Amino acid sequence: MMEVQDVSNRVAKIEAIKGDYEAAHDMEDELYSDVLEHIAAGGRNGQALVKEALKAKSIKFPRYSA
C-alpha cells in the first residue's frame, strides 16, 4: 500500500540527490511508474499521490532523454 507520506519521502530523496542528475531522473521516473501501478491496481488516494509525486517536477536538475 502506498501512502502520501511514502511519496513525499521519495520526492525528498530525489531532492537530496539532484546533484547526481542521472540517478535523480531514474528515481523520478520510477516514482511516477510506481504511483501509476498503484492506481491501476485499484489503490486508494490516487489523486493525492499524483499531486505529491508531481512535486518532483519542480526539482531543478537536468533531465536528458535518449
Side-chain angles (χ1 to χ4, degrees):
M1 177 181 295
M2 184 178 284
E3 299 292 338
V4 173
Q5 187 60 49
D6 300 324
V7 175
S8 180
N9 291 343
R10 289 174 67 176
V11 171
K13 287 179 184 177
I14 295 167
E15 174 72 40
I17 67 154
K18 68 183 179 183
D20 181 353
Y21 64 86
E22 289 182 17
H25 197 179
D26 286 343
M27 288 178 69
E28 182 183 32
D29 288 347
E30 186 175 314
L31 172 61
Y32 298 149
S33 179
D34 290 348
V35 169
L36 288 172
E37 287 176 14
H38 173 80
I39 294 167
R44 61 185 188 89
N45 296 330
Q47 186 174 5
L49 294 172
V50 169
K51 186 175 180 178
E52 190 65 27
L54 287 174
K55 290 179 180 179
K57 286 283 188 199
S58 67
I59 301 171
K60 304 290 186 217
F61 63 85
R63 290 170 173 86
Y64 298 114
S65 298

